[in-house]
Amino acid sequence: MLVGLWLITGGAAAGLFGSLLGLGGGVLIVPLLTLVFNLPLLTAVGVSLVCVIVTSGASAGVFLERHVANLRLGMTLELFTATGALLGGLVAFLLPEKALEILFSGLLIYTSITMLRRGRAAGGPEEETVVDEEEPGEDQFFDASLSGPTYRVKRVPAGALGSVGAGVVSALLGIGGGIVKVPVMHLVMGVPLRVATATSNLMMGITASAGAIVYLSRGLIDPFVTAPTALGVFVGASIGSRVAHRIDVRILRALFVAILLYTAFQMLLRAFS
Amino acid sequence: MTAGPHRSPGADLDRTVGRLLTIGTNAAVLLLAIGCVLLFAYRLDPLAGGPPLEPGLIIDDITHLQPAGFIWLGLLVLLATPVMRVVVSLRGFIIRGERTMSIVAALILVVIALSIVLGHAES
């Protein structure tokens, strides 16, 4: 019972941190399960993908009802993230576990750098509307149909390519892929940051499902580890979304970066031991 | 320009799909929570490894208050929720005559079907 309670607590911490800092919990759940509970990496990735679906389902429904997430844009891109996730799910079983651990360490370091940059940018005014002076491209349908009332979506093919990459990373490493999708949507496709974050959250559900189905088929989703962890993530993410506006995330972000870098170091040690 | 996602008919679809996601996720989490309570009640060690998915046993496990039945049903509901979201969106796009988005939604379902087929084929 004690182990179950620790899994719930760990999941809750991952869900809480994730929702306060705008990340899925996957980047914390995989190290938690491998380094603390000593589970094989692929089992941890399977559990984490389920947790990503929980996080997405809990928040994306609200984002859609409030019309923050862009359903059409999300569905167009998730065709590519799901394809990437299918490929990533199949490739994951061909790679040695050490290679995945090194990749995951790289992801943690990349996430740390992204968080630090986001921290510096947080002092400036938040961009809500992207004014696009470019003429619409040849792809008139996507330009028009996927755009919102205050922004126009551009460079859909480049966004699709980035989405395939996000899907591969998601299924290989058990994360939501927001760390790739949000910059692609915001910086490449001209989607406002708030819409990009909410749409990425919506897309995580299908992306993680495509990957999780492959893991489930291979018997790599352990129900007794998954249930308490996912329950914890749900509770943590729910609390996080309610208290997020009351918390100064600057100290939290610094702490999070320190945890990520320490975890990357531990993961590298494990890979090379 | 055609209608963006924030205009009225699209807003209705957003609301329907949003509600489906919330209800599906909450139902799945409730089943997982019941499974966890039973897991603790029977003093099972989560790290000892749970039973594999056997769809035919789920109802039997639930009627016998076994944690695996509730947990597997919860996980299946959870995995099915985003897929159902695509199915409901596909229906909405077809009703609205949005051909391209209908094709996109149908292709997502094809990818999910491929995940099931290839996942089993390679295992």
Side-chain angles (χ1 to χ4, degrees):
Chain A
M1 178 165 166
L2 200 60
V3 174
L5 288 176
W6 277 117
L7 285 170
I8 292 178
T9 309
L16 182 66
F17 257 102
S19 70
L20 288 177
L21 296 168
L23 292 169
V27 77
L28 291 171
I29 289 164
V30 174
L32 174 83
L33 295 178
T34 50
L35 299 175
V36 180
F37 293 98
N38 215 21
L39 287 171
L41 188 73
L42 286 178
T43 307
V45 170
V47 174
S48 181
L49 285 173
V50 172
C51 295
V52 168
I53 303 172
V54 170
T55 314
S56 168
S59 53
V62 180
F63 285 142
L64 271 176
E65 289 191 58
R66 291 180 186 166
H67 311 301
V68 184
N70 183 333
L71 180 65
R72 283 161 179 77
L73 173 64
M75 288 192 65
T76 303
L77 294 182
E78 74 191 4
L79 172 59
F80 298 95
T81 56
T83 305
L86 170 59
L87 295 174
L90 296 174
V91 168
F93 295 91
L94 304 175
L95 293 176
E97 183 152 325
K98 281 185 192 306
L100 287 174
E101 285 168 351
I102 293 168
L103 276 176
F104 203 95
S105 302
L107 169 80
L108 291 169
I109 293 166
Y110 171 73
T111 309
S112 308
I113 294 167
T114 308
M115 296 303 294
L116 284 174
R117 278 193 189 150
R118 199 180 293 176
R120 281 198 204 110
E126 192 182 348
E127 185 186 5
E128 277 300 324
T129 304
V130 174
V131 179
D132 181 14
E133 298 299 332
E134 279 182 28
E135 287 299 312
E138 287 175 6
D139 209 338
Q140 296 285 342
F141 166 77
F142 285 113
D143 279 347
S145 177
L146 304 185
S147 298
T150 58
Y151 58 93
R152 199 177 72 224
V153 172
K154 55 187 181 179
R155 299 191 200 101
V156 175
L161 194 64
S163 298
V164 173
V168 171
V169 173
S170 169
L172 267 182
L173 304 178
I175 59 168
I179 201 82
V180 179
K181 282 180 286 184
V182 174
V184 165
M185 275 189 271
H186 182 52
L187 301 175
V188 179
M189 303 180 74
V191 178
L193 189 58
R194 203 163 67 101
V195 179
T197 307
T199 306
S200 162
N201 216 302
L202 171 73
M203 291 161 63
M204 285 193 312
I206 274 292
T207 313
S209 285
I213 287 169
V214 177
Y215 280 78
L216 179 67
S217 307
R218 309 284 177 100
L220 277 169
I221 293 188
D222 186 322
F224 287 178
V225 176
T226 307
T229 314
L231 190 60
V233 166
F234 181 78
V235 173
S238 303
I239 295 170
S241 63
R242 281 176 178 77
V243 301
H245 62 285
R246 286 185 235 155
I247 287 179
D248 181 357
V249 291
R250 279 175 299 184
I251 298 168
L252 206 62
R253 189 181 286 122
L255 178 67
F256 188 70
V257 167
I259 292 172
L260 286 185
L261 290 175
Y262 175 75
T263 310
F265 175 68
Q266 290 295 323
M267 198 68 107
L268 281 174
L269 276 185
R270 185 178 150 119
F272 289 109
S273 64
Chain B
M1 287 218 165
T2 56
H6 298 264
R7 300 206 179 151
S8 182
D12 287 345
L13 182 59
D14 283 11
R15 211 169 293 125
T16 308
V17 171
R19 263 186 219 144
L20 172 79
L21 278 179
T22 306
I23 292 168
T25 307
N26 287 344
V29 169
L30 178 66
L31 287 163
L32 293 180
I34 296 170
C36 281
V37 170
L38 293 170
L39 197 63
F40 296 156
Y42 290 123
R43 296 179 182 276
L44 297 172
D45 178 8
L47 298 182
L53 173 63
E54 288 190 41
L57 291 179
I58 288 178
I59 299 297
D60 197 43
D61 278 348
I62 288 175
T63 53
H64 289 91
L65 290 179
Q66 290 298 312
F70 288 94
I71 292 173
W72 275 123
L73 185 61
L75 291 175
L76 291 179
V77 170
L78 191 67
L79 285 172
T81 298
V83 181
M84 282 310 295
R85 187 254 287 171
V86 179
V87 172
V88 170
S89 303
L90 172 62
R91 186 175 167 273
F93 293 138
I94 290 172
I95 290 170
R96 285 167 180 77
E98 296 185 43
R99 222 179 94 213
T100 310
M101 284 311 302
S102 303
I103 293 169
V104 167
L107 286 174
I108 295 171
L109 294 176
V110 170
V111 174
I112 296 295
L114 275 175
S115 298
I116 297 169
V117 172
L118 290 177
H120 276 100
E122 297 283 324
S123 57

